Amino acid sequence: MWRLAPLWLGLLLWLGLLVFFTVSFVITNLEPWTVALTGAISFWALWLIFFPIIIWLSLRFPLERPKIWLQAVLHLSACLLMVIISQVAYRTFLTLPPPPAEPTQSAQVLARHTSQGMRAPPDILIYLLTLSACVALAHFHRAQVRERRAIELEGHLAQAKLQALRMQINPHFLFNTLNAISTLVHTNPHTADEMISDLSELFRASLESSGDQEIGLARELDLLQRYLAIEQRRFGERLRVEQDVDPEILAAFVPTLILQPIVENAIRHGVEPQAGVGRITIQARREGDQIKLSVSDNGKQSFDPSVLERKRDGVGLSNTRGRLQQLYGNEMSFAVNNGELGGWTVVMKIPFRLARMNKTNS
């Protein structure tokens, strides 16, 4: 139904144009309604075809950056083509009677002879008015979509903040950390004290960034490092983490706490079940106008797509995918596959941006 919207809107605009010019013709030239309507139809006949085309072009190419100049050239070309077609058709198919000798003769004939030399200006004017109205409607619609998305994002961000503070992205992490601390208090008080300090720093850093939907990649990696410091003390030599990050994208913005649940999932399913050394690789690269973030582990468990639907095992992955969808819509991608060295590889692609999106009120 929505695909036919330009046709219906074009028909309504064309009918409105006919009514306007018919009434104007009757009032100014004192012609009968039938004569005035016939003249209006003959003058604007091609616009029954032009209107849907202009509406489609305006909605498809609404003069927006970064391609505003290319779109402007496209509209200028389309307008020129329509003016030429209209002029040729008007001169070719609408045969006019000889110009009237007396002023008292048909005002319609006088008007048609006069309008033959004025065909282009009204065509250009109607094109520009239609383009302006459609572009305004398109921007208004996008503004409403962004507003709804911002409201939805507030809910998702509030959920993410709650999960960060309570470690509900996986309570498994907080339980194991406290359990490890309680054990180390008697055997290695110094390490236990350092874990408590690391945990406190992680909570504090999470609170400092809790009002932002996006933070710089450098800040995100700092939050992740605080989390990994705790896990490193838990697993010791059993946990090896490698980071391969392009320094040129450290200033780019990414969703707050987007990496922590993915890395935690890799530790839980890839490192914890095995007795040997667990390896986690974190990569961040720029690919054109996107940032590619990936987390891989060398676990023994193959990826099962159904895990994304099970809340107990897939809350971190499904929540992350949902947040990315709300933030970036079709501009993002989220994929989970089997890694080259075993285990899982989670790949996220988001737009490369140096400007932060809307902030929520904290």
Side-chain angles (χ1 to χ4, degrees):
M1 180 177 180
W2 288 107
R3 293 182 178 180
L4 298 178
L7 294 177
W8 292 111
L9 184 57
L11 178 60
L12 290 176
L13 289 176
W14 186 73
L15 291 176
L17 196 64
L18 290 187
V19 171
F20 175 80
F21 275 86
T22 299
V23 172
S24 300
F25 206 87
V26 169
I27 294 175
T28 57
N29 297 298
L30 301 178
E31 289 285 341
W33 284 95
T34 54
V35 175
L37 180 60
T38 302
I41 291 176
S42 64
F43 192 84
W44 297 107
L46 280 175
W47 279 86
L48 184 60
I49 301 173
F50 288 167
F51 267 129
I53 296 175
I54 298 173
I55 294 171
W56 182 85
L57 287 174
S58 302
L59 297 178
R60 182 67 178 83
F61 307 101
L63 298 178
E64 290 183 334
R65 295 184 184 277
K67 298 181 179 180
I68 185 171
W69 293 112
L70 289 176
Q71 294 171 353
V73 170
L74 172 67
H75 284 291
L76 182 62
S77 302
C79 180
L80 180 61
L81 180 62
M82 291 181 184
V83 168
I84 294 174
I85 293 175
S86 183
Q87 187 78 4
V88 171
Y90 193 77
R91 290 176 178 271
T92 303
F93 298 105
L94 296 179
T95 304
L96 301 180
E102 298 293 333
T104 56
Q105 293 185 22
S106 174
Q108 182 190 18
V109 175
L110 282 169
R112 288 176 63 187
H113 275 279
T114 303
S115 65
Q116 195 174 55
M118 300 175 56
R119 178 75 250 194
D123 287 341
I124 295 173
L125 178 62
I126 297 299
Y127 187 103
L128 293 178
L129 290 176
T130 306
L131 172 63
S132 300
C134 290
V135 169
L137 287 174
H139 284 290
F140 176 75
H141 175 70
R142 286 181 173 86
Q144 285 189 318
V145 170
R146 285 194 297 266
E147 184 178 356
R148 287 198 304 268
R149 183 174 291 178
I151 294 174
E152 293 173 354
L153 284 174
E154 289 181 1
H156 279 268
L157 182 61
Q159 181 183 8
K161 289 189 295 185
L162 178 62
Q163 289 173 337
L165 294 176
R166 297 171 54 189
M167 286 303 158
Q168 193 173 354
I169 289 179
N170 205 322
H172 186 266
F173 158 72
L174 185 57
F175 172 79
N176 283 339
T177 301
L178 294 178
N179 186 56
I181 291 173
S182 65
T183 301
L184 290 171
V185 163
H186 303 287
T187 61
N188 193 338
H190 179 70
T191 302
D193 183 65
E194 289 180 339
M195 289 185 69
I196 293 174
S197 177
D198 290 336
L199 188 60
S200 175
E201 282 296 312
L202 177 60
F203 279 124
R204 182 187 62 79
S206 299
L207 281 171
E208 289 177 353
S209 303
S210 62
D212 297 326
Q213 294 177 355
E214 292 181 313
I215 57 176
L217 178 58
R219 179 62 173 161
E220 174 71 10
L221 292 173
D222 179 63
L223 288 173
L224 180 62
Q225 191 58 45
R226 297 176 188 276
Y227 162 75
L228 286 172
I230 298 173
E231 295 288 31
Q232 195 72 63
R233 299 187 192 281
R234 282 186 56 216
F235 291 96
E237 293 299 322
R238 286 183 55 208
L239 175 61
R240 304 280 179 85
V241 179
E242 299 177 0
Q243 294 190 20
D244 182 12
V245 179
D246 184 356
E248 295 183 358
I249 65 172
L250 289 175
F253 283 93
V254 299
T256 306
L257 293 173
I258 201 68
L259 290 173
Q260 188 272 335
I262 305 301
V263 173
E264 181 177 350
N265 188 80
I267 292 175
R268 181 179 182 186
H269 294 283
V271 177
E272 192 171 351
Q274 60 177 307
V277 175
R279 298 182 183 275
I280 294 178
T281 302
I282 302 164
Q283 292 184 324
R285 286 281 181 270
R286 180 176 180 179
E287 293 186 352
D289 57 354
Q290 287 190 316
I291 295 178
K292 177 182 177 182
L293 303 172
S294 65
V295 177
S296 303
D297 65 76
N298 68 336
K300 306 302 181 183
Q301 183 177 357
S302 299
F303 173 65
D304 178 6
S306 66
V307 75
L308 296 176
E309 310 301 328
R310 299 199 298 266
K311 291 186 176 181
R312 177 180 176 183
D313 295 326
V315 63
L317 297 178
S318 60
N319 180 268
T320 300
R321 182 177 57 180
R323 286 183 62 203
L324 292 176
Q325 181 65 45
Q326 291 296 326
L327 273 168
Y328 307 112
N330 294 331
E331 295 181 281
M332 76 89 194
S333 66
F334 182 92
V336 185
N337 302 294
N338 291 315
E340 294 181 0
L341 302 178
W344 299 1
T345 295
V346 179
V347 179
M348 300 172 284
K349 293 184 179 181
I350 61 176
F352 176 79
R353 290 174 178 167
L354 294 176
R356 181 178 294 143
M357 296 178 66
N358 296 331
K359 293 178 66 176
T360 58
N361 296 325
S362 48

